[in-house]
């Protein structure tokens, strides 16, 4: 089924439910698209599977709309094998070394799905489950997922909520909330793959990252614990620089990641309100993406493991560097790194995090 067939006609300043969401008491079992649109012409499609962002259509400098997200035309494409494209990642975004951590004196063993490490929530993470969808405002959809105690090895029943809001100023706001009945760890993010041109590679996109340090990794892409200054390295994006300018430089960290696949340090702790973390400008289309977040870190991933074998929207083969990801997050492997900002969620207390993807053009 093509998503477009299920859409109602677009209308301005309105959220369009492309299909009715399931009744709250019934576990959803099919992928359902939800569409948001605003008066400036920005359109966003969300899916209840993985609480995924399926598409973001924004105008270029001439006003032409293009979809700036990698993804699939077919809803079933999302149920196939792919690297978390557009999905919410949880219960823990990024890696946990050897899939193990100790909490309150108990060692928890998680699924190991990235060689010997745990990645993005395990074998069946939050990207591979149905979320309950609810329209909570004309421009906002809330997705809820209840993760059982012990799921993928994590302690505590965790209720996670992700709310997407499209504003009239071309912002897609993502609010994350979670609560657990037992102490656990949590680190939620969205794994959108952006290409502001809409096709080709992102090597000429200019990136500004408000980070003066990053977390170097070992061969398994697990942080060594060091917070290394970016100054004088290919990781310095404190002034806007094309992503491809230094991606092939002779640098041990770039070699380990096959390009950029690193967490950048934005702050020492979570902030109360979203703060500008990154700005990306595509000179060819004039599109600009700003990422604001409350999170202390952001993973810059430049699609290094894409190799052309994955076919996405319009049959496009997604090749290496076809997209960039800016995954707002706590640092990888934080449950095992006491010096990193904590990812502990105490039983009975709540987790909150917010990220904004704001689009404009020059
Ligand atoms: C990771 C990459 C991984 C990609 C897709 C990124 O967040 O840092 O190493 O290949 O997600 O799973």
């Amino acid at each position: 089924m093509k998503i477009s067939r299920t859409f109602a006609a677009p209308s301005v300043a309105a959220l369009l439910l492309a299909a009715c969401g399931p009744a709250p008491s019934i576990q959803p079992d099919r992928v359902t698209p939800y569409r948001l649109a605003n008066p400036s012409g920005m359109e966003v499609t969300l899916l209840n599977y993985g609480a995924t962002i399926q598409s973001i259509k924004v105008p270029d400098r001439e006003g032409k709309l293009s979809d700036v997200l990698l993804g699939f035309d077919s809803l079933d494409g999302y149920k196939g094998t792919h690297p978390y494209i557009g999905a919410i990642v949880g219960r823990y975004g990024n890696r946990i070394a050897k899939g193990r951590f100790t909490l309150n004196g108990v060692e928890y063993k998680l699924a190991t799905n990235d060689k010997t490490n745990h990645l993005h929530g395990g074998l069946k993470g939050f990207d591979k489950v149905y979320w309950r969808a609810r329209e909570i405002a004309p421009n906002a959809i809330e997705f809820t997922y209840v993760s059982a105690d012990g799921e993928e090895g994590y302690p505590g029943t965790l209720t996670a909520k992700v709310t997407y809001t499209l504003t009239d100023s071309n912002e897609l706001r993502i609010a994350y909330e979670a609560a657990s009945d037992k102490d656990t760890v949590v680190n939620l993010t969205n794994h959108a793959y952006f290409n502001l041109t809409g096709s080709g590679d992102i090597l000429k996109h200019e990136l500004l990252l408000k980070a003066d340090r990053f977390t170097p990794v070992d061969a398994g892409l697990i942080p060594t614990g060091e917070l290394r200054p970016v100054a004088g390295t290919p990781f310095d994006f404190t002034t806007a620089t094309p992503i491809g300018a230094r991606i092939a430089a002779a640098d041990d960290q770039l070699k380990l990641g096959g390009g950029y696949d690193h967490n950048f340090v934005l702050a020492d702790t979570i902030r109360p309100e979203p703060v500008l973390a990154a700005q990306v400008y595509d000179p060819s289309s004039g599109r600009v993406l700003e990422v604001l977040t409350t999170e202390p870190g952001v993973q810059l991933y430049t699609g290094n493991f894409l190799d052309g074998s994955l076919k996405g929207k319009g049959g496009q083969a997604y090749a290496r560097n076809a997209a960039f990801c800016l995954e707002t997050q706590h640092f990888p492997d934080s449950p095992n790194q006491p010096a990193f900002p904590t990812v502990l969620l105490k039983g009975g207390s709540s987790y909150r995090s917010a990220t904004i993807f704001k689009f404009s053009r020059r």
Side-chain angles (χ1 to χ4, degrees), residues 61-78:
R61 62 165 72 87
E62 314 296 340
K64 182 176 166 281
L65 277 192
S66 290
D67 187 351
V68 296
L69 280 196
L70 268 52
F72 305 97
D73 296 317
S74 140
L75 301 179
D76 284 339
Y78 286 91

Side-chain angles (χ1 to χ4, degrees), residues 83-84 94-95 119-120 191 193 221 261 299 301 305 327:
Y84 307 86
N94 217 294
R95 294 177 173 81
L119 175 67
H120 292 332
H191 211 307
Y193 285 70
L221 301 183
D261 192 356
Q299 183 87 4
Y301 172 57
F305 297 115
E327 303 151 57

